[in-house]
Short mmCIF file of all heavy atoms in Angstrom, two decimals:
data_model
loop_
_atom_site.label_atom_id
_atom_site.label_comp_id
_atom_site.label_asym_id
_atom_site.label_seq_id
_atom_site.Cartn_x
_atom_site.Cartn_y
_atom_site.Cartn_z
N GLU A 336 -13.50 -11.34 7.18
CA GLU A 336 -14.72 -12.00 7.64
C GLU A 336 -15.94 -11.09 7.70
O GLU A 336 -17.06 -11.58 7.67
CB GLU A 336 -14.45 -12.70 8.97
CG GLU A 336 -13.69 -14.01 8.72
CD GLU A 336 -13.09 -14.66 9.96
OE1 GLU A 336 -13.36 -14.19 11.08
OE2 GLU A 336 -12.34 -15.63 9.79
N VAL A 337 -15.74 -9.77 7.76
CA VAL A 337 -16.93 -8.90 7.87
C VAL A 337 -17.37 -8.28 6.55
O VAL A 337 -18.46 -7.74 6.45
CB VAL A 337 -16.76 -7.74 8.89
CG1 VAL A 337 -16.48 -8.27 10.27
CG2 VAL A 337 -15.70 -6.75 8.45
N THR A 338 -16.53 -8.33 5.52
CA THR A 338 -16.92 -7.71 4.25
C THR A 338 -16.88 -8.72 3.13
O THR A 338 -16.15 -9.71 3.20
CB THR A 338 -16.00 -6.52 3.90
OG1 THR A 338 -16.48 -5.93 2.67
CG2 THR A 338 -14.56 -6.94 3.71
N ARG A 339 -17.69 -8.46 2.11
CA ARG A 339 -17.62 -9.30 0.90
C ARG A 339 -16.84 -8.60 -0.19
O ARG A 339 -16.71 -9.12 -1.30
CB ARG A 339 -19.03 -9.65 0.42
CG ARG A 339 -19.72 -10.53 1.44
CD ARG A 339 -21.04 -11.06 0.90
NE ARG A 339 -21.63 -11.89 1.93
CZ ARG A 339 -22.90 -11.91 2.23
NH1 ARG A 339 -23.74 -11.15 1.57
NH2 ARG A 339 -23.35 -12.69 3.18
N LYS A 340 -16.37 -7.41 0.10
CA LYS A 340 -15.55 -6.68 -0.87
C LYS A 340 -14.16 -7.29 -0.90
O LYS A 340 -13.71 -7.90 0.07
CB LYS A 340 -15.42 -5.21 -0.44
CG LYS A 340 -16.73 -4.45 -0.43
CD LYS A 340 -17.26 -4.30 -1.83
CE LYS A 340 -18.61 -3.57 -1.83
NZ LYS A 340 -19.28 -3.69 -3.14
N PRO A 341 -13.44 -7.11 -2.01
CA PRO A 341 -12.04 -7.51 -2.02
C PRO A 341 -11.27 -6.74 -0.94
O PRO A 341 -11.56 -5.58 -0.67
CB PRO A 341 -11.56 -7.11 -3.42
CG PRO A 341 -12.80 -6.96 -4.24
CD PRO A 341 -13.88 -6.53 -3.29
N VAL A 342 -10.31 -7.43 -0.34
CA VAL A 342 -9.50 -6.82 0.72
C VAL A 342 -8.07 -6.68 0.22
O VAL A 342 -7.45 -7.65 -0.22
CB VAL A 342 -9.52 -7.67 2.00
CG1 VAL A 342 -8.59 -7.09 3.07
CG2 VAL A 342 -10.94 -7.79 2.54
N ALA A 343 -7.56 -5.46 0.30
CA ALA A 343 -6.15 -5.21 -0.03
C ALA A 343 -5.38 -5.02 1.26
O ALA A 343 -5.94 -4.60 2.28
CB ALA A 343 -6.03 -3.95 -0.90
N ALA A 344 -4.09 -5.35 1.23
CA ALA A 344 -3.24 -5.08 2.39
C ALA A 344 -1.97 -4.42 1.86
O ALA A 344 -1.48 -4.79 0.79
CB ALA A 344 -2.90 -6.36 3.13
N TYR A 345 -1.47 -3.45 2.59
CA TYR A 345 -0.29 -2.70 2.14
C TYR A 345 0.90 -3.07 3.02
O TYR A 345 0.93 -2.73 4.20
CB TYR A 345 -0.59 -1.20 2.23
CG TYR A 345 0.34 -0.29 1.46
CD1 TYR A 345 -0.16 0.86 0.84
CD2 TYR A 345 1.70 -0.53 1.33
CE1 TYR A 345 0.67 1.74 0.13
CE2 TYR A 345 2.53 0.33 0.63
CZ TYR A 345 2.00 1.47 0.03
OH TYR A 345 2.84 2.32 -0.65
N GLN A 346 1.83 -3.83 2.43
CA GLN A 346 3.08 -4.12 3.13
C GLN A 346 3.94 -2.86 2.96
O GLN A 346 4.48 -2.60 1.89
CB GLN A 346 3.79 -5.32 2.50
CG GLN A 346 5.06 -5.70 3.25
CD GLN A 346 5.82 -6.85 2.59
OE1 GLN A 346 6.09 -6.82 1.39
NE2 GLN A 346 6.19 -7.85 3.37
N ILE A 347 4.03 -2.09 4.01
CA ILE A 347 4.55 -0.73 3.87
C ILE A 347 6.07 -0.67 3.90
O ILE A 347 6.75 -1.68 4.12
CB ILE A 347 3.97 0.19 4.97
CG1 ILE A 347 4.35 -0.35 6.35
CG2 ILE A 347 2.46 0.29 4.82
CD1 ILE A 347 4.33 0.69 7.41
N SER A 348 6.54 0.55 3.70
CA SER A 348 7.98 0.79 3.58
C SER A 348 8.78 0.19 4.73
O SER A 348 9.79 -0.47 4.52
CB SER A 348 8.24 2.28 3.46
OG SER A 348 7.69 2.98 4.57
N GLY A 349 8.34 0.42 5.96
CA GLY A 349 9.10 -0.07 7.12
C GLY A 349 9.17 -1.59 7.17
O GLY A 349 10.16 -2.16 7.62
N GLU A 350 8.11 -2.24 6.70
CA GLU A 350 8.12 -3.70 6.66
C GLU A 350 9.16 -4.19 5.65
O GLU A 350 9.85 -5.18 5.87
CB GLU A 350 6.73 -4.24 6.27
CG GLU A 350 5.63 -3.86 7.23
CD GLU A 350 4.27 -4.39 6.79
OE1 GLU A 350 4.06 -5.61 6.83
OE2 GLU A 350 3.41 -3.58 6.38
N TYR A 351 9.23 -3.49 4.54
CA TYR A 351 10.19 -3.81 3.49
C TYR A 351 11.62 -3.54 3.98
O TYR A 351 12.51 -4.39 3.87
CB TYR A 351 9.87 -2.93 2.27
CG TYR A 351 10.85 -3.00 1.12
CD1 TYR A 351 10.72 -3.96 0.13
CD2 TYR A 351 11.89 -2.07 1.02
CE1 TYR A 351 11.61 -4.00 -0.95
CE2 TYR A 351 12.78 -2.11 -0.04
CZ TYR A 351 12.64 -3.08 -1.02
OH TYR A 351 13.52 -3.11 -2.07
N SER A 352 11.80 -2.35 4.54
CA SER A 352 13.16 -1.94 4.91
C SER A 352 13.73 -2.77 6.04
O SER A 352 14.94 -3.01 6.09
CB SER A 352 13.17 -0.46 5.29
OG SER A 352 12.74 0.31 4.19
N GLN A 353 12.90 -3.20 6.96
CA GLN A 353 13.46 -3.96 8.08
C GLN A 353 13.95 -5.34 7.62
O GLN A 353 14.95 -5.84 8.14
CB GLN A 353 12.49 -4.05 9.26
CG GLN A 353 11.23 -4.84 9.00
CD GLN A 353 10.30 -4.86 10.21
OE1 GLN A 353 10.62 -4.35 11.27
NE2 GLN A 353 9.13 -5.44 10.04
N ILE A 354 13.30 -5.91 6.64
CA ILE A 354 13.78 -7.18 6.10
C ILE A 354 15.14 -6.95 5.42
O ILE A 354 16.10 -7.71 5.62
CB ILE A 354 12.77 -7.79 5.11
CG1 ILE A 354 11.50 -8.22 5.87
CG2 ILE A 354 13.38 -8.98 4.37
CD1 ILE A 354 10.37 -8.72 4.97
N HIS A 355 15.21 -5.88 4.63
CA HIS A 355 16.48 -5.57 3.97
C HIS A 355 17.60 -5.28 4.97
O HIS A 355 18.73 -5.72 4.78
CB HIS A 355 16.31 -4.36 3.04
CG HIS A 355 15.99 -4.76 1.63
ND1 HIS A 355 16.95 -5.23 0.77
CD2 HIS A 355 14.83 -4.79 0.96
CE1 HIS A 355 16.39 -5.53 -0.39
NE2 HIS A 355 15.09 -5.28 -0.30
N ALA A 356 17.27 -4.52 6.00
CA ALA A 356 18.30 -4.15 6.98
C ALA A 356 18.87 -5.39 7.67
O ALA A 356 20.09 -5.55 7.78
CB ALA A 356 17.71 -3.18 8.00
N ALA A 357 17.98 -6.28 8.08
CA ALA A 357 18.44 -7.49 8.76
C ALA A 357 19.24 -8.37 7.79
O ALA A 357 20.24 -8.99 8.19
CB ALA A 357 17.26 -8.26 9.34
N ALA A 358 18.81 -8.39 6.53
CA ALA A 358 19.54 -9.20 5.54
C ALA A 358 20.93 -8.62 5.30
O ALA A 358 21.91 -9.36 5.17
CB ALA A 358 18.74 -9.26 4.24
N GLN A 359 21.01 -7.29 5.27
CA GLN A 359 22.32 -6.65 5.07
C GLN A 359 23.29 -6.98 6.21
O GLN A 359 24.49 -7.10 6.01
CB GLN A 359 22.16 -5.13 4.97
CG GLN A 359 21.87 -4.68 3.55
CD GLN A 359 21.64 -3.18 3.44
OE1 GLN A 359 22.00 -2.40 4.34
NE2 GLN A 359 21.02 -2.77 2.36
N LEU A 360 22.74 -7.12 7.40
CA LEU A 360 23.58 -7.47 8.54
C LEU A 360 23.91 -8.97 8.58
O LEU A 360 24.66 -9.42 9.44
CB LEU A 360 22.87 -7.09 9.85
CG LEU A 360 22.82 -5.59 10.14
CD1 LEU A 360 21.80 -5.29 11.23
CD2 LEU A 360 24.20 -5.09 10.57
N GLY A 361 23.28 -9.71 7.67
CA GLY A 361 23.51 -11.16 7.65
C GLY A 361 22.68 -11.89 8.70
O GLY A 361 22.95 -13.04 9.02
N TRP A 362 21.68 -11.20 9.24
CA TRP A 362 20.89 -11.80 10.31
C TRP A 362 19.66 -12.55 9.81
O TRP A 362 19.10 -13.38 10.52
CB TRP A 362 20.45 -10.72 11.31
CG TRP A 362 21.60 -10.12 12.07
CD1 TRP A 362 22.90 -10.54 12.08
CD2 TRP A 362 21.55 -8.99 12.93
NE1 TRP A 362 23.66 -9.74 12.89
CE2 TRP A 362 22.86 -8.78 13.44
CE3 TRP A 362 20.53 -8.12 13.35
CZ2 TRP A 362 23.18 -7.74 14.32
CZ3 TRP A 362 20.84 -7.09 14.23
CH2 TRP A 362 22.15 -6.91 14.71
N LEU A 363 19.15 -12.17 8.65
CA LEU A 363 17.98 -12.87 8.09
C LEU A 363 18.24 -13.13 6.61
O LEU A 363 19.00 -12.39 5.98
CB LEU A 363 16.71 -12.01 8.22
CG LEU A 363 16.11 -11.81 9.62
CD1 LEU A 363 14.94 -10.84 9.55
CD2 LEU A 363 15.66 -13.13 10.23
N ASP A 364 17.56 -14.13 6.09
CA ASP A 364 17.69 -14.46 4.67
C ASP A 364 16.61 -13.69 3.89
O ASP A 364 15.42 -13.90 4.09
CB ASP A 364 17.51 -15.97 4.49
CG ASP A 364 17.66 -16.37 3.03
OD1 ASP A 364 18.81 -16.52 2.60
OD2 ASP A 364 16.63 -16.48 2.34
N LEU A 365 17.06 -12.80 3.02
CA LEU A 365 16.15 -11.90 2.32
C LEU A 365 15.07 -12.65 1.55
O LEU A 365 13.87 -12.38 1.70
CB LEU A 365 16.93 -10.99 1.36
CG LEU A 365 16.08 -10.07 0.48
CD1 LEU A 365 15.40 -8.99 1.29
CD2 LEU A 365 16.92 -9.43 -0.62
N ALA A 366 15.48 -13.60 0.72
CA ALA A 366 14.52 -14.26 -0.16
C ALA A 366 13.45 -15.01 0.64
O ALA A 366 12.26 -14.94 0.34
CB ALA A 366 15.25 -15.22 -1.10
N ARG A 367 13.88 -15.70 1.68
CA ARG A 367 12.91 -16.48 2.45
C ARG A 367 11.99 -15.57 3.27
O ARG A 367 10.80 -15.84 3.41
CB ARG A 367 13.62 -17.49 3.35
CG ARG A 367 14.33 -18.58 2.52
CD ARG A 367 14.84 -19.69 3.41
NE ARG A 367 13.77 -20.32 4.16
CZ ARG A 367 13.93 -21.00 5.29
NH1 ARG A 367 15.13 -21.13 5.81
NH2 ARG A 367 12.90 -21.54 5.89
N CYS A 368 12.54 -14.51 3.83
CA CYS A 368 11.70 -13.59 4.62
C CYS A 368 10.71 -12.85 3.74
O CYS A 368 9.56 -12.63 4.13
CB CYS A 368 12.56 -12.59 5.39
SG CYS A 368 13.48 -13.38 6.71
N ARG A 369 11.19 -12.48 2.56
CA ARG A 369 10.32 -11.80 1.59
C ARG A 369 9.10 -12.68 1.30
O ARG A 369 7.95 -12.26 1.40
CB ARG A 369 11.13 -11.54 0.33
CG ARG A 369 10.40 -10.90 -0.81
CD ARG A 369 11.36 -10.64 -1.97
NE ARG A 369 11.97 -11.88 -2.45
CZ ARG A 369 13.15 -11.95 -3.09
NH1 ARG A 369 13.84 -10.86 -3.36
NH2 ARG A 369 13.62 -13.11 -3.48
N HIS A 370 9.38 -13.94 0.97
CA HIS A 370 8.30 -14.86 0.63
C HIS A 370 7.37 -15.10 1.81
O HIS A 370 6.15 -15.03 1.69
CB HIS A 370 8.90 -16.18 0.12
CG HIS A 370 7.90 -17.05 -0.57
ND1 HIS A 370 7.13 -17.96 0.11
CD2 HIS A 370 7.53 -17.13 -1.86
CE1 HIS A 370 6.32 -18.57 -0.75
NE2 HIS A 370 6.54 -18.09 -1.95
N GLU A 371 7.96 -15.36 2.95
CA GLU A 371 7.15 -15.68 4.14
C GLU A 371 6.29 -14.50 4.57
O GLU A 371 5.13 -14.66 4.97
CB GLU A 371 8.09 -16.12 5.28
CG GLU A 371 7.38 -16.64 6.50
CD GLU A 371 8.37 -17.14 7.56
OE1 GLU A 371 9.50 -17.55 7.18
OE2 GLU A 371 8.02 -17.12 8.74
N SER A 372 6.86 -13.29 4.48
CA SER A 372 6.10 -12.11 4.91
C SER A 372 4.86 -11.92 4.03
O SER A 372 3.78 -11.59 4.52
CB SER A 372 6.98 -10.86 4.89
OG SER A 372 7.38 -10.52 3.56
N LEU A 373 5.01 -12.17 2.74
CA LEU A 373 3.89 -11.99 1.81
C LEU A 373 2.88 -13.14 1.91
O LEU A 373 1.68 -12.93 1.85
CB LEU A 373 4.42 -11.85 0.38
CG LEU A 373 5.20 -10.54 0.16
CD1 LEU A 373 6.05 -10.61 -1.10
CD2 LEU A 373 4.25 -9.35 0.11
N LEU A 374 3.41 -14.33 2.10
CA LEU A 374 2.55 -15.49 2.27
C LEU A 374 1.64 -15.29 3.50
O LEU A 374 0.44 -15.58 3.45
CB LEU A 374 3.43 -16.72 2.47
CG LEU A 374 2.79 -18.08 2.33
CD1 LEU A 374 2.29 -18.28 0.90
CD2 LEU A 374 3.81 -19.17 2.68
#
Side-chain angles (χ1 to χ4, degrees):
E336 282 167 7
V337 300
T338 182
R339 294 188 180 139
K340 296 293 178 194
V342 176
Y345 197 144
Q346 183 183 50
I347 60 157
S348 56
E350 299 179 70
Y351 173 87
S352 299
Q353 66 181 356
I354 292 175
H355 266 283
Q359 274 177 17
L360 287 165
W362 293 351
L363 289 175
D364 181 82
L365 176 69
R367 293 189 59 203
C368 290
R369 178 177 60 204
H370 194 272
E371 187 176 333
S372 66
L373 292 163
L374 195 64

